[in-house]
Amino acid sequence: MRKFDLFMTLPLLLTAACIDEVSEGEKCATVDDTAAPDDATTDLEGSVPDTAEDDIADDDTLEDDTAGGDTADEIDDDTAAGDTDDDTECADRDEDGLCDEDDGCPDEPTLTEPTACGCDPSLVPGTFVDSGQTIGSGVGNRKMLIGDLDGDSDLDLFLVSAFHPDEVWLNDGTGTFTDSGARLDSFVDTVGLLADFDQDGDLDVVTGAHNRSSADSRLYLNDGAAHFTDSGVRFATGNYVSMGLGDFNNDSWPDFAVGNHSDSRSTYAYTNNGAGTGFGGVSFGGLAAWAITVGDVNGDSYDDILIGVHGASNQIHLNNGAGGFTGSTFGDPTSNASTLSLGDVDADGDLDAVVGIGGGPGSEVWINDGTGAFTDSGQALVANNASHSTITDIDYDGDLDVIFSDMADGANGGARIYLNDGEGRFTLGQHIGVGIASQGHGVGDVNGDGLVDMVLAAEFQSGALFLNSCAVAE
């Protein structure tokens, strides 16, 4: 068995993909028209289309194709058998210039590849539909933490509750959740974070407690099967209402910051000791810090901390890479920041800030100049009592949208979705969960359809699951 010369075999392979009968001067429409068909030694850069490299790289290599003992004549005979001169070129029913076999949407002329909603260009994602599921055994769920807790590759839920023990709900992979029966010995928890704090390959949880002097925040370690054990690690007592995950000392171990809304108690940045068994703390003093978020705002690759403060200017703490911080301020000192999120909303390569306002005229969008200096965009996004926010691409148009949970009762509750125009300007989209007083939500693809769904926490009732779906574009 011999290998064919590359310059002879490559045109044959390309031709066999789309031509039913190979003869002198005939070739697939995808081959560069400038190639000379009669010249077997034509330079590859001039004669091989972009798809040639992909064809060669597939599991069927040149050696595999020729190893069966076929000669060039036999290959030609195989492709020509039973064919006529009428169908020598690739089928292209949608006339998009691609062979149908290379086109993900062969019958749709405006789409060559499926979108998140398939091959129908009239459908777009971003419409949330109530699944009808209720999440949680009782009321008072403050946060819905989403992550794969049991290692089965779907997203589960950790419910942070202020009125009863925290709960773990497991996903069957289709977005149907079942109470695992786990009840963590919590103390009026209001906030939490999922991360692999001990670096053993599964998600652990740190919780923050609220409104009791005896309450403390603690770390629970996961055994990989969604069974959580109290690690014995404790954090300072406080009225914790917000947390942000980061790596403050650049050692690749997860750290976190926690906001304390009582100005008589400190807000902290906690640094992991490298084993998940202890944390060192840096205090930012008593700030009435209702909101906190973490991200690299000045482009030096270190995680910085933004703190939203009631009754004072918001704070920026720039990290020196070793867990030391230098502070500055931004924002209206009379506003009451209640939630903070970071994301590149204007697509200029740096992290901007969305500041949710509790009980104010509207939530704010602050644009970063790339150095960590923020300017108010002048927008007022209505969320009557914004309690939690997330920045993510809801409608899959390539820009970042914003979700606000609203803890107001009645018509002002639920969650509001603001859609981005691609330049950091937002318009109100859907208002879901009307009537649910919500202090938090979790987002992620819970049913495996590729779209980001939302679980809404509820203060006075069970939580609710809303599935992202496709609908006709307005």
Side-chain angles (χ1 to χ4, degrees):
M1 182 182 304
R2 66 186 181 84
K3 298 181 181 177
F4 286 101
D5 181 85
L6 175 62
F7 297 107
M8 178 183 293
T9 308
L10 185 56
L12 291 173
L13 290 173
L14 292 171
T15 305
C18 334
I19 303 180
D20 296 313
E21 179 173 280
V22 178
S23 61
E24 184 69 25
E26 292 180 340
K27 57 185 180 177
C28 174
T30 60
V31 176
D32 187 359
D33 291 336
T34 62
D38 296 328
D39 185 0
T41 61
T42 301
D43 179 52
L44 290 179
E45 291 185 1
S47 62
V48 181
D50 292 340
T51 56
E53 183 175 344
D54 296 334
D55 292 338
I56 297 172
D58 289 339
D59 292 338
D60 294 331
T61 64
L62 289 175
E63 182 172 351
D64 293 336
D65 291 337
T66 60
D70 288 344
T71 65
D73 291 339
E74 288 169 337
I75 294 175
D76 187 80
D77 291 342
D78 291 340
T79 60
D83 291 335
T84 67
D85 291 336
D86 295 334
D87 56 351
T88 58
E89 291 194 357
C90 314
D92 184 14
R93 292 186 297 275
D94 55 2
E95 299 181 349
D96 62 357
L98 294 175
C99 299
D100 286 341
E101 63 192 40
D102 299 324
D103 185 342
C105 296
D107 297 318
E108 172 48 58
T110 65
L111 295 176
T112 59
E113 294 297 332
T115 69
C117 293
C119 289
D120 186 344
S122 69
L123 298 179
V124 295
T127 298
F128 286 91
V129 177
D130 191 342
S131 71
Q133 289 187 69
T134 56
I135 308 294
S137 64
V139 300
N141 296 309
R142 294 292 177 85
K143 295 292 184 286
M144 295 284 187
L145 310 182
I146 291 187
D148 183 7
L149 303 180
D150 55 0
D152 64 352
S153 301
D154 55 43
L155 297 178
D156 309 303
L157 296 172
F158 188 99
L159 279 59
V160 178
S161 177
F163 296 162
H164 54 80
D166 299 338
E167 301 175 4
V168 176
W169 286 59
L170 300 179
N171 190 349
D172 68 357
T174 69
T176 300
F177 291 89
T178 303
D179 186 354
S180 71
R183 298 293 184 268
L184 278 71
D185 187 18
S186 62
F187 294 88
V188 198
D189 285 340
T190 53
V191 67
L193 281 176
L194 293 174
D196 188 4
F197 287 104
D198 57 0
Q199 300 283 52
D200 66 348
D202 52 49
L203 292 176
D204 312 304
V205 63
V206 61
T207 61
H210 179 249
N211 270 349
R212 284 173 55 179
S213 60
S214 62
D216 51 7
S217 300
R218 54 188 66 193
L219 171 66
Y220 294 94
L221 298 178
N222 189 352
D223 68 355
H227 303 136
F228 291 87
T229 304
D230 189 345
S231 69
V233 175
R234 297 291 183 269
F235 304 97
T237 298
N239 294 327
Y240 294 142
V241 290
S242 58
M243 285 184 174
L245 185 68
D247 179 10
F248 301 136
N249 57 353
N250 211 32
D251 65 352
S252 299
W253 284 78
D255 310 315
F256 71 97
V258 59
N260 191 334
H261 82 68
S262 172
D263 55 13
S264 64
R265 293 172 178 165
S266 290
T267 290
Y268 289 96
Y270 285 107
T271 304
N272 196 325
N273 67 359
T277 58
F279 292 78
V282 174
S283 171
F284 298 109
L287 298 173
W290 281 79
I292 202 163
T293 191
V294 174
D296 177 17
V297 299
N298 61 346
D300 63 357
S301 299
Y302 303 137
D303 282 334
D304 310 306
I305 299 174
L306 271 65
I307 302 174
V309 184
H310 266 220
S313 296
N314 302 317
Q315 298 190 2
I316 304 169
H317 293 272
L318 299 179
N319 190 348
N320 64 9
F325 297 90
T326 301
S328 60
T329 62
F330 77 101
D332 183 352
T334 65
S335 68
N336 293 319
S338 55
T339 178
L340 275 171
S341 292
L342 289 172
D344 185 8
V345 301
D346 58 355
D348 65 350
D350 53 46
L351 295 179
D352 309 300
V354 173
V355 183
I357 304 298
S363 296
E364 303 163 351
V365 179
W366 290 74
I367 302 301
N368 190 350
D369 68 357
T371 69
F374 292 86
T375 302
D376 189 354
S377 69
Q379 299 177 73
L381 311 184
V382 175
N384 295 75
N385 205 344
S387 56
H388 184 212
S389 58
T390 299
I391 296 177
T392 188
D393 187 1
I394 291 297
D395 53 2
Y396 290 80
D397 63 350
D399 53 45
L400 294 177
D401 311 305
V402 180
I403 305 169
F404 289 106
S405 282
D406 197 318
M407 63 182 294
D409 293 331
N412 290 323
R416 287 177 172 83
I417 298 166
Y418 280 87
L419 300 177
N420 193 342
D421 67 356
E423 298 180 353
R425 306 294 300 182
F426 294 89
T427 56
L428 180 61
Q430 199 174 3
H431 182 188
I432 66 174
V434 177
I436 298 176
S438 177
Q439 293 201 37
H441 57 261
V443 297
D445 178 13
V446 301
N447 59 352
D449 66 352
L451 303 179
V452 174
D453 309 304
M454 187 189 327
V455 186
L456 196 60
E459 184 77 359
F460 304 116
Q461 60 199 82
S462 297
L465 170 62
F466 294 86
L467 298 176
N468 196 341
S469 62
C470 297
V472 176
E474 295 182 358

